[in-house]
Amino acid sequence: MRTIIEPFRIKSVEPLRQTTRQEREQYLEAAGYNLFLIQARHILIDLLTDSGTSAMSTEQWAAVMRGDESYAGSESFFRLKRAADELTGFRHMIPTHQGRAAERILFSVMCKSGHIVPNNTHFDTTRANIEFTGARAVDLPLAEAADTQARLDFKGNMDVAALEQLVRTAGAGRIPLVMLTVTNNSGGGQPVSMGNIEAVKRVCAAAGIPLYLDACRFAENAWFIREREPGYADWTPKRIAQKMFSLADGCTFSAKKDAFANIGGFLCSNDDRVAQQETNLLILTEGFPTYGGLAGRDLDAIATGLEEVLDIDYLRYRIASTSYLGRHIADHGVPIVEPPGGHAIYIDAARMLPHIPPHRFPGQALAVELYRHAGIRGVEIGSVMFGEAARHELLRLAIPRRVYTQSHIDYVVEAILEVNGRKEKIRGLEIVEQPPFLRHFSARFREV
Ligand SMILES: Cc1ncc(COP(=O)(O)O)c(C=O)c1O
């Protein structure tokens, strides 16, 4: 059969609430044209993020009931530890309440002022946590990644020559770790090849620098390797993921992505001394090492999710459905970051709306128009989020895992094509009120 179906059926449903255009107009005005400030109940299809928004399976809900809430040594912890050990092979694993908590602990232990941490592309919390220690976060993406239209199989790769150059000029002593984000979220959800992980590992090993994975979307990355990289077509996604982890010395992980959990994360390391320091910090702010910042039931949901996410039918459907959205809008003239990534489609709003200059926020203007027209929420990734450091003006449509069906996605496609059909009429925005930082969460705008 050529049709790729959702590999699940639905047992429990959550009603969606329709709103009228007039109501949405009022909500927009009240929220200052900032979609973060609109109540979720006023959103029809919510593509703000794929993080913590997954639908859990019957097995995960059963695992939630099995959760052992003992303060120390709970069964849930050991079930998670077994699942994480089998997958990653790292010597130490500590649970955290989400990915950024793992990052804060890792960088607090490893980084200090004067240090440099390279990554293919840092996610914003990763960058912020590094810079909070006084170290510098450096992105080393491929040069081709700057072109949203370039179609590379592994556009999320790190520029290995640039890494070698950085190690030579800065000196290995100033680089406490190198990170690789799989898949590369800030770089368009693009995958990293096994060959690239191996090449980065070689540079790190030669310089005595540990390599860490930001492993949020390890399973989606493994699927792209299976589909696109010679030699892996017969491997299971699990075996590919195991090989990815075996090349690293540790990882941070947000279980809110590729573990289908609504909260959670963990931090892994092979270094006994580092792990001890991390555990001390964990106790300070997250909790005892066998629960981190989580309830026992969360640990169990993650343990089950880690197995489910590597299912071949799930991953085939997941990547196909993201690509379905991307191709159906791109093939009808909507410019997207090519090729479609794993968890999201990024519309190149600067290309789509050339009449709106960056200081009038084309990505935000498009987000507002899509909500106004069809009740769909995406997120601007451009000058609102990054100010003058923005490299692109994008609207990201992130797809929650196992939540929406194909007809929901068809609705999104139809809405985007209609908006594209009268794009000349979309107006830019100006900021009327903004906080000193993280302005995308709470700035208020008006249409101009
Ligand atoms: C690549 C990447 N790293 C780290 C994080 C942070 O994880 P969390 O939101 O669980 O703190 C995210 C979240 O979106 C991410 O996409």
Side-chain angles (χ1 to χ4, degrees):
M1 297 294 293
R2 281 191 303 117
T3 306
I4 296 173
I5 59 169
E6 287 88 357
F8 48 81
R9 55 185 181 173
I10 297 164
K11 181 176 275 181
S12 172
V13 299
E14 191 180 352
L16 291 175
R17 191 173 156 266
Q18 297 275 359
T19 50
T20 63
R21 190 182 171 95
Q22 197 187 1
E23 285 169 332
R24 291 194 293 277
E25 201 66 77
Q26 286 164 7
Y27 301 141
L28 276 171
E29 211 173 305
Y33 298 87
N34 185 335
L35 302 190
F36 280 100
L37 303 180
I38 291 187
Q39 287 183 38
R41 61 192 292 270
H42 298 149
I43 308 286
L44 183 65
I45 308 259
D46 202 347
L47 306 182
L48 186 73
T49 177
D50 66 321
S51 180
T53 53
S54 298
M56 293 215 295
S57 66
T58 47
E59 284 307 315
Q60 282 183 295
W61 285 112
V64 163
M65 287 307 294
R66 265 195 305 275
D68 173 359
E69 305 303 340
S70 305
Y71 189 94
S74 90
E75 276 297 296
S76 303
F77 171 76
F78 291 106
R79 282 192 281 269
L80 173 60
K81 183 156 170 52
R82 275 196 295 278
D85 286 356
E86 194 192 334
L87 176 65
T88 70
F90 295 125
R91 286 163 60 84
H92 305 280
M93 183 281 292
I94 48 177
T96 58
H97 78 273
Q98 61 185 89
R100 67 198 68 187
E103 291 164 6
R104 191 188 56 77
I105 292 171
L106 173 69
F107 302 132
S108 301
V109 168
M110 303 209 42
C111 299
K112 61 175 199 260
S113 179
H115 277 165
I116 299 171
V117 181
N119 199 328
N120 42 355
T121 313
H122 288 280
F123 181 67
D124 51 13
T125 60
T126 320
R127 170 177 292 279
N129 274 297
I130 290 169
E131 293 181 345
F132 192 68
T133 69
R136 189 153 62 90
V138 174
D139 291 341
L140 300 177
L142 296 182
E144 296 94 317
D147 175 4
T148 59
Q149 301 309 296
R151 294 191 190 199
L152 274 65
D153 280 347
F154 292 101
K155 208 174 173 182
N157 281 356
M158 179 178 272
D159 181 339
V160 181
L163 176 66
E164 285 176 310
Q165 164 87 1
L166 182 70
V167 173
R168 255 197 316 274
T169 52
R174 287 180 60 204
I175 304 177
L177 74 160
V178 171
M179 287 200 95
L180 271 176
T181 305
V182 294
T183 57
N184 189 340
N185 182 8
S186 306
Q190 302 289 330
V192 177
S193 69
M194 192 72 85
N196 191 250
I197 305 175
E198 287 169 322
V200 170
K201 173 67 181 177
R202 275 195 295 277
V203 176
C204 290
I209 303 169
L211 170 63
Y212 275 68
L213 296 184
D214 176 342
C216 292
R217 299 177 181 84
F218 72 94
E220 291 171 6
N221 201 85
W223 182 259
F224 280 115
I225 289 175
R226 188 176 194 268
E227 291 284 282
R228 296 182 181 173
E229 194 161 353
Y232 293 98
D234 298 335
W235 287 41
T236 61
K238 182 172 183 175
R239 190 171 159 216
I240 296 171
Q242 285 169 326
K243 180 168 175 187
M244 287 162 51
F245 285 113
S246 75
L247 292 163
D249 302 285
C251 75
T252 56
F253 179 62
S254 167
K256 299 170 73 174
K257 285 83 169 171
D258 272 355
F260 303 119
N262 302 124
I263 194 70
F266 56 71
L267 170 59
C268 295
S269 166
N270 277 338
D271 184 319
D272 299 346
R273 197 180 51 84
V274 165
Q276 186 55 57
Q277 290 175 28
E278 289 171 348
T279 304
N280 295 342
L281 275 183
L282 184 85
I283 294 168
L284 213 57
T285 57
E286 292 283 298
F288 191 73
T290 60
Y291 72 85
L294 295 168
R297 64 181 81 99
D298 300 322
L299 303 174
D300 259 308
I302 298 168
T304 304
L306 282 179
E307 283 170 27
E308 290 182 358
V309 77
L310 288 161
D311 179 71
I312 286 183
D313 288 337
Y314 163 72
L315 283 170
R316 179 180 293 120
Y317 137 81
R318 168 72 175 161
I319 301 304
S321 66
T322 305
S323 164
Y324 178 93
L325 169 59
R327 287 272 59 86
H328 276 75
I329 58 172
D331 293 349
H332 290 89
V334 177
I336 64 166
V337 174
E338 293 280 7
H343 68 291
I345 293 299
Y346 298 66
I347 298 179
D348 187 338
R351 258 175 197 267
M352 180 173 164
L353 307 173
H355 61 287
I356 305 181
H359 71 276
R360 292 285 181 243
F361 309 120
Q364 186 73 14
L366 184 56
V368 164
E369 189 56 29
L370 197 55
Y371 174 72
R372 176 187 278 131
H373 184 63
I376 298 164
R377 173 157 69 174
V379 64
E380 191 261 13
I381 301 198
S383 291
V384 176
M385 193 176 273
F386 298 121
E388 290 187 357
R391 276 178 283 193
H392 298 291
E393 304 295 337
L394 306 175
L395 173 66
R396 187 186 76 175
L397 304 168
I399 306 177
R401 293 169 182 77
R402 306 191 293 206
V403 170
Y404 293 115
T405 63
Q406 179 160 351
S407 67
H408 292 122
I409 299 298
D410 284 336
Y411 174 91
V412 174
V413 169
E414 185 181 337
I416 293 170
L417 296 183
E418 283 179 4
V419 166
N420 191 46
R422 45 178 184 67
K423 58 187 177 183
E424 294 79 13
K425 299 212 173 71
I426 298 177
R427 288 189 287 161
L429 298 157
E430 75 180 2
I431 292 184
V432 290
E433 200 182 308
Q434 61 178 315
F437 54 90
L438 291 177
R439 69 174 174 179
H440 55 290
F441 288 145
S442 53
R444 300 179 76 84
F445 304 83
R446 90 166 143 242
E447 290 186 304
V448 286

